[in-house]
């Protein structure tokens, strides 16, 4: 299996990069701001980071506080967070708190929930954290380029009583399109990416580095928080001879289980919390491989066991089940049903009817219920009553995958292609395979206008976005 799908970055430079994964980003400096309020500053600006490593040059990026990923924001369930965001970019920006059920005015959607933050200006976000879990933050202004150039960071909300593990780690995955000089290819928003499966790159990083090996100790139990921050790449990770248990998806607990066929599939923006018992022996080496795209399999990194004697002989029997979060339970018997169809793309139909090109963005390639969003289209396509239960029956009428994300809420994924799901898992982003039908249910309990869009950021920019109003 090739080391990666990297084509333009040399294999040599790849192999030279053997840095171990370090904690994501730098620890933010907290300021005390009254009881339970955690405060920090995030500056979005230009930076240079060593993505490739070895003797390759640094990569010019856009970054929060100069680092990719940005600082890991880590709080406890029930805390309140206040973040002052300073825009040092040459264009407008915002910050969206992906998966957090924040008040609408704090959601970071330009022209819908706030005015974009102008260059040189600041904006203060402040909200409570009712739920524990693994989340992340990123701009919502021209996301296909701002996220694609490195603006994102992890946001972890700890349970009051976390499960017992030896280490709690975050792997923030990203996929870059680099040129041979290790610089980011500037072809953002091109028609080819927009009309096919988005900007899939050639270089995969973990916590902002190409990682060769990841040191583990025999017998240890690790909680691994995976976050997919890529514009478009879907990951399908397999942990050779290890048996990860999935304990949460998109930050939301579910019954611990081994993933189907041992593969953890994560569409863009999705998260999975795994518990991995390091069952190998001292000195052994195992490959974590990404096998999502057929013919493009690659080795993400190796788990490398150090020489230390096993921490224990048997996996611990401490429970893995996390306490439930605070979403209200939808009432499926009375839930009002709405059908939502996704159309367009190459081989989809919309193209034949003449997708429009608008500068670098290609509005009209993708559609939701026949409407391809253009410009700042912010009229809701669906209005829901606050406090009622809803069932959204989504149909993917295209030849492509789409990770569909709803802001301000989490939903239960109740059925796929007419069959009930394993655990009616809570998610905020659900991956639809080509032609797949997926049903989700939730209580519309958070008032405001909420984005509902594909998280392949090129699809979002090319029409696959809409607004759902909770009145
Ligand atoms: Cu992670 Cu609307 O976004
Ligand atoms: Cu899509």
């Amino acid at each position: 299996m090739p080391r990666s799908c990297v084509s333009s970055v040399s294999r040599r430079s790849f192999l030279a990069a053997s840095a171990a994964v370090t904690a994501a980003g730098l620890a933010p400096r907290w300021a005390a701001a009254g009881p339970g309020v955690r405060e920090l500053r995030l500056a979005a600006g230009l930076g240079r980071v060593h993505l490739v490593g070895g003797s390759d040059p640094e990569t010019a990026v856009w970054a929060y506080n100069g680092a990719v990923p940005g600082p890991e924001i880590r709080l406890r369930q029930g805390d309140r967070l206040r973040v002052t965001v300073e825009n040092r970019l040459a264009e407008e920006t915002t910050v969206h708190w992906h998966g957090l059920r924040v008040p609408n005015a704090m959601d970071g959607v330009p022209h819908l929930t706030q005015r974009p933050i102008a260059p040189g200006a600041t904006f203060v976000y402040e909200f409570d954290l009712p739920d524990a879990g693994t989340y992340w933050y990123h701009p919502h202004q021209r996301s296909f380029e701002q996220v694609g150039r490195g603006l994102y960071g992890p946001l972890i909300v700890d349970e009051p009583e976390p499960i017992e593990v030896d280490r709690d780690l975050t792997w923030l995955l990203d996929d870059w399109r680099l040129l041979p000089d290790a610089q980011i290819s500037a072809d953002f928003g091109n028609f080819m990416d927009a009309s096919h499966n988005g900007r899939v790159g050639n270089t995969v990083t973990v916590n902002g580095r190409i990682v060769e090996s990841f040191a583990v100790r025999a017998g240890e139990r690790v909680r691994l928080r995976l976050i997919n921050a890529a514009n478009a790449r879907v990951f399908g990770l397999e942990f050779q001879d290890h048996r990860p248990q999935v304990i949460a998806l998109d930050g939301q607990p579910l019954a611990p289980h081994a993933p189907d066929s041992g593969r953890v599939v994560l569409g863009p923006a999705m998260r999975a919390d795994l518990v991995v018992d390091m069952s190998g022996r001292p000195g052994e080496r195992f490959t974590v491989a990404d096998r999502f795209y057929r013919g493009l399999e690659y080795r993400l990194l190796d788990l490398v066991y150090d020489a230390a004697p096993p921490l224990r002989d048997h996996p611990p029997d401490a429970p893995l089940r996390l306490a439930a979060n605070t979403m209200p339970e939808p009432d499926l018997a009375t839930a009002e049903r709405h059908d939502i169809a996704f159309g367009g793309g190459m081989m989809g139909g919309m193209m034949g009817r003449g997708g429009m090109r608008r500068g670098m963005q290609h509005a009209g390639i993708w559609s939701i219920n026949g409407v391809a969003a253009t410009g700042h289209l912010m009229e809701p396509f669906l209005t829901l009553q606050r406090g009622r239960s809803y069932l959204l029956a989504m149909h993917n009428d295209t030849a492509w995958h789409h990770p569909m994300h709803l802001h301000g809420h989490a939903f239960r994924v109740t059925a796929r292609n007419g069959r009930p799901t394993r655990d009616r898992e809570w998610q905020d982003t659900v991956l639809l395979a080509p032609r797949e039908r997926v049903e989700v249910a939730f209580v519309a309990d958070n008032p405001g206008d909420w984005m509902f869009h594909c998280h392949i950021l090129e699809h979002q920019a090319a029409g696959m976005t809409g607004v759902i109003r909770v009145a």
Side-chain angles (χ1 to χ4, degrees):
M1 194 191 325
R3 172 64 183 80
S4 94
C5 44
V6 166
S7 54
S8 56
V9 174
S10 75
R11 180 176 168 80
R12 177 203 52 73
S13 67
F14 226 91
L15 292 172
S18 56
V21 190
T22 53
L26 305 166
R29 251 176 274 118
W30 295 107
V37 182
R38 314 294 301 279
E39 181 155 14
L40 84 151
R41 284 183 84 83
L42 279 182
L46 307 186
R48 301 190 69 82
V49 297
H50 236 108
L51 286 185
V52 179
S55 55
D56 274 276
E58 290 182 325
T59 302
V61 294
W62 298 358
Y64 290 117
N65 296 2
V68 176
E72 178 171 289
I73 302 178
R74 189 140 198 160
L75 312 101
R76 282 180 64 129
Q77 189 171 7
D79 279 350
R80 187 169 177 83
L81 175 63
R82 184 183 301 151
V83 184
T84 302
V85 175
E86 184 188 341
N87 183 5
R88 294 191 201 144
L89 301 168
E91 61 181 57
E92 297 174 330
T93 194
T94 64
V95 179
H96 169 60
W97 312 94
H98 187 113
L100 294 174
R101 300 186 302 129
V102 300
N104 195 247
M106 296 291 115
D107 199 42
V109 179
H111 310 289
L112 185 70
T113 69
Q114 70 171 93
R115 289 170 53 187
I117 311 169
T122 58
F123 186 90
V124 180
Y125 295 91
E126 181 169 344
F127 46 83
D128 293 324
L129 298 145
D131 301 315
T134 302
Y135 305 94
W136 64 300
Y137 57 93
H138 64 78
H140 219 281
Q141 169 79 3
R142 296 183 67 253
S143 328
F144 63 95
E145 180 164 2
Q146 294 195 2
V147 177
R149 287 191 182 274
L151 286 166
Y152 56 76
L155 195 158
I156 311 294
V157 186
D158 284 311
E159 301 84 14
E161 292 173 44
I163 56 165
E164 276 174 50
V165 294
D166 298 305
R167 285 195 290 164
D168 182 329
L169 304 167
T170 302
W171 283 5
L172 213 160
L173 306 168
D174 195 7
D175 170 41
W176 310 74
R177 186 175 291 169
L178 296 186
L179 302 170
D181 61 355
Q183 301 311 303
I184 297 171
S185 166
D187 60 340
F188 287 100
N190 70 72
F191 185 77
M192 181 73 183
D193 289 342
S195 58
H196 291 76
N197 58 358
R199 182 183 172 93
V200 174
N202 54 20
T203 305
V204 171
T205 56
V206 179
N207 297 341
R209 295 282 284 204
I210 294 176
V211 171
E212 177 67 16
S213 58
F214 183 80
V216 301
R217 174 155 184 202
E220 71 171 334
R221 171 169 280 187
V222 172
R223 177 173 182 172
L224 195 53
R225 302 169 185 265
L226 303 174
I227 304 173
N228 181 356
N231 280 34
R233 178 180 292 277
V234 181
F235 291 89
L237 299 185
E238 295 183 12
F239 293 73
Q240 184 189 0
D241 295 341
H242 289 70
R243 290 188 173 54
Q245 296 281 310
V246 182
I247 61 167
L249 285 176
D250 289 353
Q252 309 298 345
L254 76 178
H257 65 276
D260 292 336
S261 333
R263 182 178 299 181
V264 181
V265 174
L266 278 188
M270 293 171 62
R271 289 88 66 213
D273 284 39
L274 310 179
V275 168
V276 189
D277 286 315
M278 296 302 166
S279 50
R281 283 191 295 271
E284 286 191 308
R285 204 177 171 105
F286 299 86
T287 293
V288 179
D290 177 5
R291 297 210 167 83
F292 187 78
Y293 300 99
R294 285 190 85 182
L296 294 173
E297 297 86 354
Y298 65 98
R299 184 162 64 91
L300 178 70
L301 52 76
D302 278 355
L303 300 176
V304 177
Y305 282 71
D306 63 25
L311 207 54
R312 51 177 73 82
D313 297 334
H314 302 288
D317 52 15
L320 298 182
R321 177 124 209 178
L322 295 164
N325 274 327
T326 63
M327 289 80 66
E329 196 58 49
D331 178 2
L332 291 175
T334 63
E336 188 176 293
R337 179 189 166 106
H338 292 273
D339 282 82
I340 303 181
F342 309 118
M346 279 302 171
M347 298 167 270
M350 185 67 111
M351 298 309 298
R353 298 202 303 273
M356 298 173 276
R357 297 184 176 218
R358 299 199 170 181
M360 279 294 279
Q361 294 192 37
H362 309 282
I365 296 174
W366 304 94
S367 66
I368 297 180
N369 284 349
V371 177
T374 52
H376 303 312
L377 176 88
M378 292 297 168
E379 275 310 301
F381 73 96
L382 205 55
T383 297
L384 311 179
Q385 295 310 312
R386 184 179 183 184
R388 281 205 61 171
S389 293
Y390 290 90
L391 186 116
L392 305 183
M394 304 188 229
H395 308 238
N396 180 3
D397 299 332
T398 80
W400 305 93
H401 281 87
H402 302 290
M404 299 305 303
H405 171 47
L406 175 63
H407 286 209
H409 299 78
F411 44 67
R412 277 195 183 279
V413 180
T414 56
R416 287 185 178 271
N417 290 328
R419 278 202 238 113
T421 54
R422 179 201 312 265
D423 203 26
R424 299 185 308 132
E425 49 272 16
W426 288 104
Q427 293 187 228
D428 55 61
T429 308
V430 62
L431 186 63
L432 279 77
R435 311 289 166 195
E436 194 176 25
R437 289 174 293 126
V438 171
E439 293 182 1
V440 306
F442 66 106
V443 177
D445 65 334
N446 200 355
D449 283 357
W450 301 103
M451 297 302 296
F452 173 72
H453 64 88
C454 180
H455 222 289
I456 289 179
L457 300 175
E458 293 71 30
H459 292 180
Q460 178 191 1
M464 204 162 187
T465 182
V467 173
I468 293 180
R469 174 168 293 166
V470 176

